[in-house]
Amino acid sequence: MSFRPSSAPKPGRPKGVKSLDPAIAKVFGTALQERRLAAGMSQEFLALTSGIERSYLSRLERGVSQPTLLAMLKLAKGLGCETFELLQQAEKAFMRRRVTARTR
């Protein structure tokens, strides 16, 4: 039995906080789709070579879902690129948004 003081924060995400950032998910999905198409791959082929579900890949490309770290690693391997290459555009969009928010 574990002991947690009553003043300790509850585990997990606080109420009302969402983990999906639609703008960043959309940027990542677009970058993923562009890289897949540039490689001449179908969603089915990339899903097969990456070991992920095609429907999950579709949700990622549409920006409906955000990838897990494991999914990003598998996708990068399937595309024959480094993981950071998949994240570059999303990171730039995130940093631009943070700078814009600070200057307001």
Side-chain angles (χ1 to χ4, degrees):
M1 180 175 183
S2 66
F3 174 76
R4 284 186 59 230
S6 59
S7 61
K10 293 181 181 178
R13 190 171 43 244
K15 282 189 175 183
V17 175
K18 297 179 180 179
S19 63
L20 177 67
D21 184 323
I24 299 300
K26 186 66 177 169
V27 171
F28 177 83
T30 300
L32 175 61
Q33 184 178 42
E34 288 172 357
R35 186 165 286 274
R36 176 181 60 79
L37 293 174
M41 295 181 180
S42 66
Q43 281 186 345
E44 190 72 34
F45 184 77
L46 179 56
L48 182 66
T49 59
S50 300
I52 64 170
E53 294 289 326
R54 192 211 51 82
S55 59
Y56 179 52
L57 177 56
S58 175
R59 289 194 311 272
L60 291 174
E61 287 187 356
R62 289 181 285 130
V64 177
S65 293
Q66 290 183 146
T68 63
L69 177 58
L70 182 59
M72 284 189 282
L73 293 168
K74 288 180 174 183
L75 288 167
K77 183 178 179 184
L79 288 166
C81 68
E82 298 291 327
T83 307
F84 78 89
E85 295 175 79
L86 292 176
L87 290 172
Q88 280 179 329
Q89 289 178 336
E91 182 180 18
K92 286 177 185 175
F94 180 72
M95 295 307 281
R96 275 193 308 268
R97 193 173 68 190
R98 285 183 58 199
V99 168
T100 305
R102 283 187 206 158
T103 59
R104 288 183 190 182

